[in-house]
Amino acid sequence: MIEDLELRAVPGTDPTLLALATAQQAELAAIYGDDQPQVTLHPDIRFTLLLLDGAPAGCVGLQPVSPGLGEIKRMYVEPGSRGWGLSRILLDAVESHARSTGLTRLRLETGTHQHEAIALYTNHGYTPTPPY
């Protein structure tokens, strides 16, 4: 059991969130190359920060897209905190937040080389779809 775990709603301008998002983008650049477009954070995204023993360990965002549809954004667990099930905690949190705001369908985009992420999502019932 993980002790001293906190989920905290934060704005997209939160410095801790921005540091995690920057680390995520650096990881993606290492996997897919530096020529990947840098996507800015949409102002409608509602973020959840995961703190472990008071230190930032991960984040996830939820962006409303259309009535009933949301998109999971910037799901990330920092490398030193992986392997403890934190990504499942973040995914459960974002799904719960979606339900509470009336979003009945969620989508997300992940790269084909992110095998752990793909396994997480498919194990949670997400199915591959064509690019949108």
Side-chain angles (χ1 to χ4, degrees), residues 63-105:
Q63 180 179 352
V65 176
S66 62
L69 175 63
E71 185 170 344
I72 297 172
K73 304 295 251 182
R74 301 296 172 119
M75 175 87 152
Y76 181 69
V77 174
E78 63 91 20
S81 299
R82 293 180 185 163
W84 300 346
L86 299 180
S87 59
R88 287 187 297 278
I89 292 169
L90 284 168
L91 189 55
D92 289 344
V94 77
E95 289 173 343
S96 177
H97 183 217
R99 282 189 299 275
S100 74
T101 59
L103 299 174
T104 57
R105 291 184 313 127

XYZ file of all heavy atoms in Angstrom, residues 63-105:
328
model
N -9.735 17.098 -20.893
C -10.208 18.194 -21.730
C -11.564 17.836 -22.320
O -11.679 16.841 -23.043
C -9.228 18.476 -22.869
C -9.685 19.610 -23.772
C -8.683 19.886 -24.882
O -7.580 19.359 -24.913
N -9.080 20.740 -25.808
N -12.599 18.626 -22.013
C -13.881 18.410 -22.690
C -13.710 18.691 -24.184
O -13.060 19.657 -24.566
C -14.815 19.435 -22.049
C -14.122 19.890 -20.808
C -12.654 19.714 -21.056
N -14.294 17.829 -25.020
C -14.164 17.980 -26.468
C -15.496 18.378 -27.082
O -15.580 19.300 -27.885
C -13.639 16.676 -27.112
C -13.602 16.778 -28.621
C -12.262 16.330 -26.558
N -16.538 17.667 -26.714
C -17.897 17.936 -27.193
C -18.843 17.361 -26.144
O -18.393 16.666 -25.223
C -18.121 17.308 -28.570
O -17.993 15.906 -28.516
N -20.152 17.610 -26.252
C -21.056 17.072 -25.237
C -20.863 15.560 -25.045
O -20.933 14.788 -25.995
C -22.444 17.397 -25.784
C -22.229 18.626 -26.611
C -20.868 18.416 -27.247
N -20.538 15.177 -23.828
C -20.367 13.778 -23.490
C -19.006 13.186 -23.793
O -18.719 12.054 -23.412
N -18.134 13.920 -24.491
C -16.831 13.397 -24.904
C -15.701 14.207 -24.280
O -15.691 15.440 -24.355
C -16.694 13.440 -26.425
C -15.329 13.026 -27.006
C -15.014 11.568 -26.694
C -15.304 13.288 -28.509
N -14.749 13.489 -23.682
C -13.558 14.122 -23.136
C -12.313 13.437 -23.648
O -12.359 12.308 -24.144
N -11.203 14.129 -23.525
C -9.925 13.567 -23.950
C -8.945 13.608 -22.786
O -8.808 14.632 -22.117
C -9.357 14.338 -25.129
C -8.104 13.706 -25.672
C -7.662 14.319 -27.004
O -8.447 15.009 -27.667
O -6.494 14.079 -27.360
N -8.296 12.481 -22.550
C -7.263 12.393 -21.528
C -5.988 12.991 -22.106
O -5.569 12.643 -23.202
C -7.040 10.930 -21.100
C -8.312 10.375 -20.466
C -5.854 10.830 -20.137
C -8.274 8.897 -20.172
N -5.382 13.898 -21.346
C -4.203 14.610 -21.813
C -3.072 14.498 -20.790
O -3.318 14.468 -19.595
C -4.515 16.102 -21.999
C -5.670 16.386 -22.938
C -5.357 15.961 -24.323
C -5.145 17.135 -25.216
N -4.890 16.757 -26.593
N -1.861 14.468 -21.274
C -0.646 14.567 -20.468
C -0.567 13.592 -19.293
O -0.107 13.924 -18.226
C -0.461 15.993 -19.953
C -0.352 17.044 -21.021
C 0.886 16.829 -21.882
N 0.872 17.729 -23.013
C 1.797 18.640 -23.238
N 2.822 18.751 -22.446
N 1.698 19.412 -24.297
N -1.022 12.361 -19.526
C -0.892 11.316 -18.514
C 0.588 11.002 -18.378
O 1.245 10.642 -19.366
C -1.672 10.087 -18.963
C -1.514 8.920 -18.060
S -2.708 8.991 -16.753
C -2.835 7.262 -16.443
N 1.125 11.139 -17.163
C 2.559 10.970 -16.989
C 2.881 10.599 -15.545
O 2.323 11.177 -14.611
C 3.282 12.275 -17.348
C 4.777 12.210 -17.237
C 5.539 11.449 -18.117
C 5.446 12.929 -16.260
C 6.923 11.398 -18.022
C 6.824 12.885 -16.160
C 7.562 12.116 -17.042
O 8.924 12.069 -16.949
N 3.780 9.635 -15.399
C 4.364 9.304 -14.102
C 5.871 9.416 -14.282
O 6.443 8.843 -15.221
C 3.969 7.885 -13.626
C 4.717 7.514 -12.352
C 2.459 7.800 -13.412
N 6.513 10.162 -13.392
C 7.946 10.375 -13.545
C 8.695 9.051 -13.324
O 8.221 8.193 -12.581
C 8.443 11.505 -12.632
C 8.312 11.272 -11.160
C 9.559 10.620 -10.593
O 10.638 10.670 -11.203
O 9.446 10.021 -9.521
N 9.804 8.859 -14.031
C 10.475 7.558 -14.050
C 10.774 6.940 -12.684
O 10.618 5.730 -12.506
C 11.769 7.839 -14.826
C 11.416 8.974 -15.725
C 10.459 9.823 -14.923
N 11.171 7.721 -11.711
C 11.506 7.179 -10.405
C 10.307 6.673 -9.612
O 10.474 5.998 -8.597
N 9.106 6.982 -10.083
C 7.883 6.570 -9.389
C 7.109 5.498 -10.143
O 5.983 5.174 -9.776
C 6.979 7.793 -9.163
O 7.637 8.756 -8.369
N 7.678 4.960 -11.179
C 6.984 3.952 -11.981
C 7.069 2.574 -11.331
O 7.973 2.294 -10.543
C 7.566 3.916 -13.391
C 7.247 5.210 -14.126
C 7.796 5.246 -15.511
N 7.541 6.575 -16.069
C 8.157 7.061 -17.116
N 9.062 6.347 -17.762
N 7.868 8.272 -17.547
N 6.105 1.741 -11.674
C 6.095 0.372 -11.197
C 5.309 0.171 -9.909
O 5.276 -0.925 -9.366
N 4.653 1.224 -9.413
C 3.898 1.142 -8.163
C 2.392 1.237 -8.388
O 1.638 1.328 -7.433
C 4.314 2.243 -7.205
C 5.751 2.216 -6.809
C 6.643 1.199 -6.978
C 6.464 3.273 -6.182
N 7.868 1.559 -6.491
C 7.793 2.827 -5.988
C 6.118 4.554 -5.760
C 8.774 3.612 -5.391
C 7.087 5.329 -5.164
C 8.395 4.854 -4.981
N 1.961 1.293 -9.638
C 0.532 1.394 -9.921
C -0.006 2.813 -9.913
O -1.218 3.014 -9.907
N 0.867 3.804 -9.940
C 0.411 5.195 -9.899
C -0.354 5.582 -11.161
O -1.284 6.383 -11.104
C 1.585 6.141 -9.670
C 2.356 5.937 -8.372
C 3.499 6.935 -8.271
C 1.438 6.033 -7.165
N 0.013 5.014 -12.297
C -0.706 5.330 -13.535
C -2.159 4.857 -13.446
O -3.063 5.529 -13.942
C -0.009 4.717 -14.749
O 0.074 3.312 -14.616
N -2.389 3.717 -12.796
C -3.773 3.250 -12.616
C -4.541 4.193 -11.699
O -5.730 4.454 -11.914
C -3.781 1.829 -12.066
C -3.362 0.803 -13.105
C -3.535 -0.633 -12.627
N -2.710 -0.974 -11.470
C -1.431 -1.326 -11.532
N -0.828 -1.376 -12.700
N -0.761 -1.625 -10.438
N -3.879 4.714 -10.689
C -4.522 5.675 -9.789
C -4.899 6.937 -10.556
O -6.013 7.455 -10.416
C -3.605 5.989 -8.589
C -3.488 4.749 -7.696
C -4.117 7.189 -7.800
C -2.412 4.839 -6.626
N -3.988 7.422 -11.384
C -4.282 8.608 -12.192
C -5.405 8.347 -13.181
O -6.292 9.192 -13.362
C -3.028 9.071 -12.940
C -1.983 9.795 -12.110
C -0.683 9.929 -12.894
C -2.499 11.161 -11.688
N -5.392 7.192 -13.825
C -6.436 6.870 -14.790
C -7.794 6.758 -14.100
O -8.799 7.290 -14.591
C -6.094 5.588 -15.548
C -6.980 5.247 -16.739
C -7.043 6.391 -17.753
C -6.490 3.979 -17.418
N -7.842 6.104 -12.945
C -9.095 6.030 -12.186
C -9.582 7.423 -11.799
O -10.779 7.712 -11.870
C -8.911 5.171 -10.923
C -8.749 3.693 -11.226
O -9.072 3.250 -12.349
O -8.276 2.975 -10.313
N -8.656 8.292 -11.403
C -9.029 9.653 -10.995
C -9.606 10.449 -12.156
O -10.626 11.133 -12.002
C -7.818 10.374 -10.402
N -8.987 10.355 -13.330
C -9.479 11.127 -14.469
C -10.814 10.569 -14.958
O -11.707 11.323 -15.364
C -8.423 11.232 -15.596
C -8.303 9.967 -16.408
C -8.709 12.418 -16.498
N -10.988 9.249 -14.895
C -12.275 8.669 -15.286
C -13.377 9.090 -14.314
O -14.498 9.401 -14.746
C -12.161 7.148 -15.352
C -11.348 6.665 -16.522
C -11.086 5.170 -16.522
O -11.255 4.510 -15.460
O -10.715 4.650 -17.582
N -13.073 9.121 -13.043
C -14.046 9.566 -12.042
C -14.413 11.032 -12.261
O -15.594 11.407 -12.197
C -13.470 9.361 -10.640
O -14.344 9.836 -9.659
N -13.403 11.854 -12.524
C -13.666 13.271 -12.792
C -14.533 13.431 -14.037
O -15.469 14.249 -14.058
C -12.346 14.024 -12.949
C -12.519 15.480 -13.164
N -11.721 16.207 -13.997
C -13.418 16.368 -12.675
C -12.129 17.466 -14.023
N -13.149 17.585 -13.227
N -14.258 12.634 -15.061
C -15.059 12.701 -16.287
C -16.526 12.377 -15.987
O -17.429 13.099 -16.420
C -14.497 11.743 -17.338
N -16.755 11.296 -15.264
C -18.141 10.924 -14.924
C -18.833 12.038 -14.142
O -20.001 12.345 -14.401
C -18.162 9.629 -14.109
C -17.963 8.376 -14.935
C -18.210 7.103 -14.135
N -17.308 6.964 -12.997
C -16.090 6.442 -13.057
N -15.613 6.006 -14.210
N -15.344 6.349 -11.974
N -18.113 12.653 -13.214
C -18.725 13.691 -12.374
C -19.081 14.944 -13.164
O -19.896 15.741 -12.718
C -17.812 14.047 -11.202
O -16.702 14.825 -11.633
N -18.473 15.121 -14.324
C -18.771 16.289 -15.156
C -19.644 15.948 -16.360
O -19.802 16.763 -17.265
C -17.468 16.970 -15.625
O -16.688 16.034 -16.376
C -16.666 17.494 -14.454
N -20.179 14.714 -16.396
C -21.106 14.337 -17.455
C -20.460 13.828 -18.726
O -21.137 13.656 -19.747
N -19.156 13.563 -18.682
C -18.492 13.007 -19.860
C -18.639 11.497 -19.804
O -18.188 10.851 -18.868
C -17.021 13.419 -19.891
C -16.774 14.927 -19.963
C -15.287 15.238 -19.848
C -17.354 15.514 -21.240
N -19.288 10.930 -20.802
C -19.576 9.494 -20.810
C -18.633 8.699 -21.709
O -18.631 7.477 -21.667
C -21.028 9.240 -21.265
O -21.215 9.839 -22.559
C -22.018 9.845 -20.274
N -17.866 9.399 -22.530
C -16.879 8.747 -23.397
C -15.553 9.482 -23.250
O -15.520 10.708 -23.165
C -17.299 8.789 -24.868
C -18.485 7.926 -25.190
C -18.831 7.897 -26.684
N -18.845 9.226 -27.280
C -18.154 9.574 -28.370
N -17.412 8.703 -29.013
N -18.213 10.786 -28.851
